[in-house]
């Protein structure tokens, strides 16, 4: 299933539900605002997971997800029609050139 078939509102709802359960994710920045505030649209990355198109959300800070948070993420995704593919901790490349915030990837649950 292609990305364009999933409404942006579905991701907004998912982001709000995660926030209500204590999971902070990054949001898009409103570049027209001099204070560069966040919009209500989660920052949505895309990827392929075992050949299946999907997405990822990045955590709003660099603290790794706790066991409780991982459980909440998986349950919330399932309740909203998605399936968790991975939950990744903060990572720094071997040469300290780049770092990657904690994130989780998901696909549509068919």
């Amino acid at each position: 299933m292609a990305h364009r078939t999933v409404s942006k509102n579905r991701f907004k709802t998912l982001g709000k539900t995660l926030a209500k359960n204590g999971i902070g994710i990054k949001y898009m920045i409103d570049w027209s605002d001099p204070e560069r505030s966040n919009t209500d649209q989660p920052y949505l990355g895309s990827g392929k997971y075992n050949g299946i198109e999907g997405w990822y959300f990045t955590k709003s800070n660099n603290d790794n997800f706790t066991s409780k948070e991982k459980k909440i993420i998986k349950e919330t995704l399932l309740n909203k029609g998605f399936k968790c593919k991975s939950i990744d901790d903060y990572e720094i490349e071997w040469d300290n050139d780049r770092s990657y915030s904690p994130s989780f990837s998901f696909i549509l649950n068919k």
Side-chain angles (χ1 to χ4, degrees):
M1 188 171 284
H3 286 163
R4 66 186 175 279
T5 61
V6 179
S7 162
K8 283 186 176 185
N9 286 333
R10 193 163 172 193
F11 295 114
K12 285 182 186 181
T13 301
L14 178 57
K16 288 177 187 174
T17 303
L18 288 164
K20 284 180 192 172
N21 288 294
I23 308 297
I25 59 170
K26 288 186 181 172
Y27 280 80
M28 301 294 289
I29 294 172
D30 180 357
W31 293 103
S32 65
D33 177 6
E35 295 182 20
R36 305 290 186 252
S37 61
N38 288 336
T39 67
D40 65 347
Q41 181 66 48
Y43 174 80
L44 186 65
S46 64
K48 282 200 174 210
Y49 308 96
N50 294 329
I52 301 168
E53 288 187 67
W55 307 271
Y56 67 88
F57 283 156
T58 305
K59 194 170 184 190
S60 58
N61 61 42
N62 285 332
D63 297 334
N64 290 333
F65 292 108
T66 64
S67 296
K68 181 181 177 185
E69 288 174 324
K70 289 177 183 181
K71 185 175 189 280
I72 290 169
I73 289 167
K74 289 175 184 178
E75 289 173 356
T76 302
L77 287 170
L78 278 175
N79 288 336
K80 295 295 181 186
F82 296 101
K83 181 179 180 184
C84 186
K85 291 305 287 177
S86 71
I87 299 177
D88 301 307
D89 288 334
Y90 179 76
E91 185 178 342
I92 297 177
E93 286 190 353
W94 63 274
D95 59 359
N96 291 329
D97 184 40
R98 293 187 188 149
S99 64
Y100 301 92
S101 297
S103 64
F104 57 94
S105 59
F106 53 98
I107 60 172
L108 282 173
N109 193 18
K110 295 182 181 181

